Amino acid sequence: MGRHVAIVGAGIAGLATAFYLQKRAAEQGVDVRYTLIDSRSQVGGKIVTDHEREFVIEGGPDSFVTDKPWCLALCHELGLAELLLPNNQLENKVYVLNRGKLVQLPSGFRLSIPTRLKPFLMTPLISPLGKLRMAMEYFLPPRPAADDESLGDFIGRRLGREAVDKFAGPLMAGIFVSDPDRLSMRGAFPMFLEMEKKYGSLIRAAQAMKKNPPKRTGLPAAGNAMFNSLKGGMRQLVDALIARLTGTIWTDTSVTAIERCDGKYTLSLSGNGPATLPCDDVVLAIPAHRAAGLVAPLNEELSRMMGAIRFVSTATCSLAYLLDDIPADRPLDGFGVLIPASEKRRLIACTWASTKFKHRAPPGCVLLRAFVGGYRDEALAEQDEDALIDMVRDEFAVLFGITAKPMLHRVYQWHKGNPQYDVGHPSRVEKMDALAASVGGLHLAGSSYHGIGMPDCIKSALMTVDRIIPIAK
């Protein structure tokens, strides 16, 4: 009956693996079928979009970066090009909370790197000594060692610790909801290491790239914007994938054990699916800490390494208001606000969702999304829903002067849902990939390994398909 692949986990990595496996098999005329298994009742993982009273509310990712081509390419392939939505490029300011006040991130900053002198000199975010320390980066030699280091060590070494606290921590580490002093540079931001190596200085690199920006390759992004979303929310990507899949999908079904004998696998299942499922390949597209126990009978060292990847809990709380409820002296005229750990607030950040993207709130209304938990205080993300909303409303009153009761709210909690790429992560993942390959027919995919964003997860799906059905030469 040909080759059978079991894909465990129907988040974006599992769905993309099924889609590209199906496509590759058809293109090369090989007999490969798949079964997609997920323990939840609805596929899509963290990609959750709710619609209520003309609000489009995202529970997980609200967009994807367009300089990584894989998500954009998948949207085009699924016929979603007309639904692509660029971020607001007119009101694209980002604020940083500084001593309790919202201060605009200076223009000309590329992530944490100043590329323009005047905005950098004028910003109150950095002290005079801090500015002098950042300016010295231009003259500092690159680090000769090639081993991994933390984001905090890297930015502190190049730009000083104030840059870590005010910029790199809330902005770059915020993407991973990770402690900047533990977050792997090679795993999270390898491009900065290449910039240091090539140009000797991050400031010189950023200035060179500003003068001669790298040409965008591949399919066009909407508005040529850094971030794209979909007009009806990111769930449209999941729905388009499901509509194209022809394989078997089992939801509300858990894999309880995996056995391998004579080169074949048998999965034990509980829930809606059959009691057992024979297959030739197993793709584990679930978080590493959940997959570790399943892998133990196959390779104890691999199981131990997967289980050692740390995960933290987060929550997002979306609150909708009438525009008249927003104080006139604190307009929502940007993407949102980053909150450094030194501010001792209970939020990591807040996105002004209806400013960042159109079609997120009806006329006369606004939508805000608060981020809670992560490495700073996981317990805040694990409170009950009422306590979370009360806490966020208290924070909004202090930060934005909003005291009105929200029109509606939505809470999404992700218990141990965010992998932490601690220093040394890439080398450990390289070893995990090798151990999985030594088992034979075992494949690791998803955000636990090679990148947390949707483009990275889709790339991991393509890499998995390449191993199962190599591209014909």
Side-chain angles (χ1 to χ4, degrees), residues 85-392:
L85 181 68
N87 62 255
N88 184 345
Q89 296 180 73
L90 297 177
E91 294 183 293
N92 60 359
K93 293 180 262 186
V94 175
Y95 290 88
V96 178
L97 190 67
N98 185 54
R99 298 179 182 177
K101 296 182 178 181
L102 272 60
V103 178
Q104 186 180 339
L105 188 70
S107 60
F109 264 67
R110 182 180 174 87
L111 290 179
S112 301
I113 309 165
T115 62
R116 292 174 56 195
L117 181 61
K118 186 176 179 180
F120 166 64
L121 292 176
M122 296 296 290
T123 182
L125 288 171
I126 298 292
S127 71
L129 283 177
K131 291 172 184 176
L132 179 62
R133 174 63 182 84
M134 290 182 73
M136 287 174 57
E137 195 277 340
Y138 193 91
F139 305 100
L140 295 178
R143 175 173 174 255
D147 55 315
D148 199 8
E149 62 183 320
S150 74
L151 170 67
D153 285 343
F154 177 82
I155 296 296
R157 175 170 60 79
R158 297 300 316 177
L159 296 161
R161 285 302 303 188
E162 276 195 66
V164 177
D165 177 49
K166 297 299 183 183
F167 301 128
L171 181 60
M172 296 165 66
I175 298 169
F176 288 77
V177 288
S178 298
D179 183 346
D181 291 316
R182 300 182 72 172
L183 179 60
S184 162
M185 278 301 294
R186 284 188 57 215
F189 301 102
M191 75 291 288
F192 281 87
L193 299 175
E194 291 301 316
M195 289 164 65
E196 180 188 33
K197 181 178 179 181
K198 181 176 180 180
Y199 294 94
S201 158
L202 298 182
I203 295 176
R204 281 201 295 270
Q207 291 173 337
M209 294 170 71
K210 185 179 178 181
K211 290 180 181 177
N212 297 291
K215 293 182 179 179
R216 188 186 297 275
T217 59
L219 296 163
N224 202 33
M226 180 181 295
F227 299 99
N228 272 194
S229 186
L230 293 166
K231 290 180 181 178
M234 290 311 307
R235 178 72 196 183
Q236 288 182 313
L237 175 60
V238 172
D239 292 340
L241 279 167
I242 294 169
R244 297 283 288 273
L245 297 182
T246 59
T248 302
I249 301 177
W250 289 107
T251 56
D252 288 314
T253 302
S254 297
V255 178
T256 58
I258 301 175
E259 296 180 0
R260 181 169 168 83
C261 183
D262 297 329
K264 302 284 185 179
Y265 287 98
T266 300
L267 275 58
S268 297
L269 307 179
S270 66
N272 289 336
T276 59
L277 182 71
C279 59
D280 300 280
D281 292 81
V282 176
V283 178
L284 293 174
I286 54 178
H289 64 90
R290 288 176 48 202
L294 298 175
V295 168
L298 308 175
N299 189 295
E300 290 186 3
E301 184 178 7
L302 176 59
S303 173
R304 178 187 59 76
M305 294 186 73
M306 293 170 70
I309 297 176
R310 294 188 307 113
F311 283 72
V312 297
S313 299
T314 58
T316 66
C317 304
S318 292
L319 281 67
Y321 296 93
L322 291 171
L323 182 59
D324 290 342
D325 293 332
I326 309 303
D329 62 339
R330 304 193 203 185
L332 306 179
D333 58 348
F335 288 179
V337 57
L338 303 167
I339 304 176
S342 59
E343 292 293 316
K344 307 298 183 185
R345 304 307 311 177
R346 292 175 291 176
L347 305 184
I348 303 169
C350 179
T351 298
W352 301 334
S354 52
T355 307
K356 185 177 178 183
F357 288 104
K358 295 179 180 179
H359 311 295
R360 293 299 178 257
C365 301
V366 296
L367 183 66
L368 285 70
R369 185 162 77 144
F371 297 82
V372 181
Y375 80 96
R376 293 188 195 172
D377 194 341
E378 289 187 81
L380 292 178
E382 295 174 342
Q383 302 176 85
D384 64 47
E385 182 172 319
D386 289 341
L388 269 168
I389 292 300
D390 287 344
M391 182 191 77
V392 171

